[in-house]
């Protein structure tokens, strides 16, 4: 007979490992199946996010930002450095060390919580059984009363731009270069493309980003996207919209990218190319044909509002189901399912999930955009405030960007908050709290914000909703 558990989690990324930990905290006998092999050729937990995604990219963004700060922006502070150099190999080694520390920490949490970590690829079979194929190809079968599918996502490979050594890579490949490419091409001006393009531009690459869509950051608020695009252009990121890639060819002279824009066929030659056109659910081979679990036309696991599949006791979370592919969304879904299994009544407000792009300036938002509200026919009021009028941002030499608040015209309830500027990734947490607690703009107007802080820009933006901003001239609302 196969070994029996209360819960088996298939996948050990930020959705899966969090789900496993919460299940174990609630007293459930839990196993987690994870196949990841890390850069050191050892099994690792954490999935894409911790191994080749969220964490390592932020480590490189931090290192490259520090380098550029010294190289280009400290003279005004009276600080000059002669003979500045960047040791890229050491930067990569630092990134690797952070990844190993954090993924090792998850293994320790598994041990402390009594979670069984099965190293290999998990496949859901009929009858809530899971086939585990270990790295040595040994196959075993386990079963549980409850299964959580958390297999995550994988990069989309373009048929015209197949991965090729270090010259044509996905985002993971761009995390391990130990030399700076003189000419770098990026296909896709989304979160990954902008972040990776920013890292290597700061270190000296000439970066061209090709984006097929006509609008820059279509999911973001238009004012925020426009402000960010202007800043990226000043920094030297060459972002070319409406540019559809037709062919990619590796030659002795470099990687030649042929694309079409409003002027016709164009060519771009680069030394290396990052393909960042999105991700797809990692569901291929994860479900037996008779498992009873259905996939939609995009390969996502079909779930109901409780994240349960068509098979009672089988759930799915994170990147492999509908919704934004965000690590924090996956984690919260993992907690929700664990608590549902034990009879609790948890919930997730999907309208209050924050989005963040860790460029410089940072971009973040939570809630509705103006386009969303217009499409829904909701009447709203707008307040915005520039960081140029914020004392702390000026002192930090990071006064570009703005905060924008959208409030319901009838109820004054805050519907969306959008940022482009310093510490946006941290400030957006305040927006999430406002949305979750159903704050009105006036609620935030009446609160006291510490001075001097960048968060005062939020206060001023909500004051501006009512035409009452104290440190900017604006139109008073009737």
């Amino acid at each position: 007979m196969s070994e029996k558990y209360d819960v088996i989690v298939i996948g050990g990324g930020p959705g899966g490992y969090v789900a496993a930990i919460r299940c174990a905290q609630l007293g459930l006998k839990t196993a987690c199946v994870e196949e990841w092999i890390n850069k050191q050729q050892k099994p690792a937990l954490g999935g894409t996010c911790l191994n080749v995604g969220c964490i390592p990219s932020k480590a490189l963004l931090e290192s490259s930002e520090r380098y550029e700060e010294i190289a280009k922006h400290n003279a005004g502070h009276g600080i000059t450095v002669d003979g500045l150099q960047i040791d890229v190999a050491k930067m990569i080694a630092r990134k690797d060390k952070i990844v190993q520390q954090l993924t090792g920490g998850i293994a320790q949490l598994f041990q402390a919580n009594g979670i069984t970590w099965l190293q290999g690829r998990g496949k859901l079979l009929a009858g809530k059984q899971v086939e585990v194929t270990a790295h040595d190809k040994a196959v075993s079968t386990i079963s549980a009363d409850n299964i959580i599918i958390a297999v995550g996502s994988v990069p989309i490979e373009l048929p015209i731009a197949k991965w090729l050594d270090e010259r044509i890579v996905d985002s993971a490949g761009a995390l391990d270069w130990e030399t700076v490419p003189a000419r770098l091409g990026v296909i896709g001006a989304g979160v990954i493309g902008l972040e990776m393009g920013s890292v290597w531009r700061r270190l000296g690459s000439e970066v061209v980003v090709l984006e097929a869509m006509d609008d820059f950051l279509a999911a973001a608020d238009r004012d925020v996207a426009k402000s960010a695009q202007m800043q990226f252009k000043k920094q030297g990121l060459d972002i070319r919209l409406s540019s559809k890639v037709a062919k990619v060819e590796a030659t002795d002279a470099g990687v030649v990218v042929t694309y079409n824009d409003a002027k016709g066929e164009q060519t771009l030659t680069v030394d290396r190319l990052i393909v960042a056109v999105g991700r797809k659910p990692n569901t291929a081979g994860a479900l037996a044909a008779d498992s009873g679990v259905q996939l939609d036309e995009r390969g996502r696991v079909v779930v109901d509002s409780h994240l349960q599949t068509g098979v009672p006791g089988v759930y799915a979370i994170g990147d492999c189901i509908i919704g934004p592919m965000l690590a924090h969304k996956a984690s919260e879904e993992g907690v929700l399912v664990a608590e549902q299994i034990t009879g609790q009544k948890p919930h997730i407000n999907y309208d209050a999930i924050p989005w963040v792009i860790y460029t410089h300036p940072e971009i973040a938002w939570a809630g509705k955009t103006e386009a969303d509200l217009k499409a829904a026919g909701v009447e709203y009021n707008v307040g915005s405030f520039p960081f140029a009028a914020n004392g702390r941002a000026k002192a930090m030499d990071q006064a570009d960007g703005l905060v924008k608040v959208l409030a319901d015209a009838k109820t004054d309830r805050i519907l969306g908050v959008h940022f482009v500027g310093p510490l946006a990734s941290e400030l957006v947490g305040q927006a999430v709290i406002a949305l979750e607690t159903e704050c009105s703009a006036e609620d935030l107007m009446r609160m006291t914000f510490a001075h001097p802080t960048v968060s005062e820009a939020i206060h001023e933006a909500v004051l501006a909703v009512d035409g009452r901003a104290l440190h900017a001239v604006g139109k008073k609302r009737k």
Side-chain angles (χ1 to χ4, degrees):
M1 290 182 62
S2 64
E3 188 167 358
K4 184 73 179 287
Y5 294 87
D6 295 321
V7 180
I8 298 170
V9 183
I10 305 176
Y17 85 73
V18 168
I21 290 172
R22 187 65 183 126
C23 285
Q25 287 177 342
L26 292 167
L28 300 172
K29 182 182 178 182
T30 305
C32 181
V33 186
E34 172 55 50
E35 65 176 332
W36 196 278
I37 296 294
N38 65 16
K39 187 177 177 179
Q40 292 73 37
Q41 298 304 304
K42 295 181 179 179
L45 292 162
T48 294
C49 179
L50 267 70
N51 286 280
V52 294
C54 321
I55 300 304
S57 64
K58 302 312 163 284
L60 295 189
L61 281 160
E62 180 68 23
S63 296
S64 63
E65 187 170 337
R66 291 191 182 199
Y67 174 77
E68 184 173 63
E69 186 75 16
I70 297 169
K72 297 183 179 180
H73 303 301
N74 278 349
H77 294 267
I79 302 170
T80 57
V81 176
D82 294 327
L84 178 66
Q85 295 181 324
I86 177 71
D87 185 335
V88 178
K90 190 170 184 178
M91 180 183 76
I92 299 299
R94 171 184 175 273
K95 176 264 296 181
D96 291 342
K97 182 178 180 181
I98 291 169
V99 169
Q100 290 181 69
Q101 289 172 336
L102 291 175
T103 55
I106 298 171
Q108 292 176 355
L109 287 171
F110 268 31
Q111 185 175 15
N113 284 283
I115 299 166
T116 300
W117 173 18
L118 300 170
Q119 298 168 3
R121 175 75 171 175
K123 181 178 182 178
L124 179 65
L125 307 178
K128 290 189 281 193
Q129 296 190 92
V130 176
E131 178 184 273
V132 181
T133 303
H135 298 300
D136 63 2
K137 306 303 180 182
V139 178
S140 60
T141 303
I142 54 177
S143 62
D145 295 324
N146 301 278
I147 308 290
I148 303 174
I149 303 167
V151 293
S153 61
V154 293
I156 294 173
E157 184 177 22
L158 292 177
I160 58 172
K162 296 285 188 180
W163 317 137
L164 180 64
D165 48 64
E166 66 171 16
R167 288 176 290 173
I168 304 175
V169 301
D170 60 8
S171 57
L175 294 169
D176 284 331
W177 291 331
E178 295 195 356
T179 59
V180 179
R183 303 166 299 176
L184 173 63
V186 181
I187 303 177
V191 176
I192 296 172
L194 291 173
E195 290 184 357
M196 288 293 92
S198 292
V199 167
W200 296 104
R201 181 206 59 76
R202 293 169 186 166
L203 300 180
S205 292
E206 179 183 311
V207 180
V208 176
V209 182
L210 302 176
E211 170 56 54
M213 296 185 68
D214 300 331
D215 294 326
F216 179 65
L217 289 179
D221 181 87
R222 290 299 83 204
D223 289 337
V224 163
K226 182 179 178 181
S227 177
Q229 188 176 7
M230 289 174 58
Q231 296 309 312
F232 295 149
K233 184 176 181 179
K234 289 180 182 179
Q235 294 168 9
L237 269 182
D238 183 354
I239 301 172
R240 304 178 186 179
L241 302 176
S242 304
S243 298
K244 298 176 175 61
V245 176
K247 185 172 66 173
V248 174
E249 183 181 8
T251 71
D252 292 339
V255 179
V256 180
V257 182
T258 303
Y259 66 97
N260 295 290
D261 62 13
K263 297 179 181 179
E265 187 174 277
Q266 311 288 341
T267 59
L268 170 71
T269 302
V270 296
D271 299 300
R272 296 177 197 161
L273 180 68
I274 301 173
V275 181
V277 294
R279 301 179 64 84
K280 62 182 180 181
N282 185 27
T283 50
L287 308 170
D290 62 350
S291 67
V293 174
Q294 301 298 312
L295 300 179
D296 67 12
E297 70 283 355
R298 297 175 62 179
R300 299 174 299 197
V301 179
V302 177
V303 294
D304 63 16
S305 60
H306 299 286
L307 305 183
Q308 185 168 245
T309 69
V311 180
V314 178
Y315 305 84
I317 62 174
D319 286 7
C320 68
I321 67 171
I322 194 170
M325 292 183 174
L326 300 170
H328 44 279
K329 168 198 175 264
S331 295
E332 292 306 315
E333 288 176 336
V335 171
L336 180 143
V337 169
E339 293 178 353
Q340 280 184 164
I341 288 171
T342 55
Q344 298 184 38
K345 304 293 183 183
H347 82 285
I348 295 174
N349 179 2
Y350 285 98
D351 287 333
I353 292 178
W355 294 66
V356 182
I357 304 175
Y358 295 86
T359 48
H360 185 85
E362 291 185 340
I363 304 164
W365 69 90
K368 303 297 186 183
T369 65
E370 281 202 70
D372 293 332
L373 298 178
K374 288 177 180 177
V378 176
E379 295 182 18
Y380 61 93
N381 294 313
V382 181
S384 64
F385 188 78
F387 281 109
N390 178 270
R392 182 68 190 282
K394 294 286 282 187
M396 294 167 63
D397 200 22
Q398 296 187 44
D400 295 315
L402 56 91
V403 179
K404 181 175 178 179
V405 176
L406 304 173
D408 191 291
K410 296 178 181 178
T411 66
D412 198 40
R413 179 178 170 182
I414 292 174
L415 302 175
V417 187
H418 306 267
F419 305 86
V420 55
L423 303 177
S425 60
E426 303 297 333
L427 295 176
V428 75
Q430 297 183 32
V432 172
I433 293 171
L435 291 166
E436 285 283 7
T437 56
E438 300 185 1
C439 277
S440 67
E442 186 176 3
D443 287 332
L444 288 185
M445 290 179 202
R446 301 296 180 187
M447 295 180 186
T448 303
F449 286 68
H451 175 77
T453 61
V454 292
S455 65
E456 286 180 285
I458 300 175
H459 194 209
E460 291 280 358
V462 293
L463 285 167
V465 169
D466 198 40
R468 295 166 49 191
L470 298 171
H471 294 86
V473 177
K475 183 178 179 180
K476 182 171 177 57
R477 201 181 85 200
K478 294 181 180 179

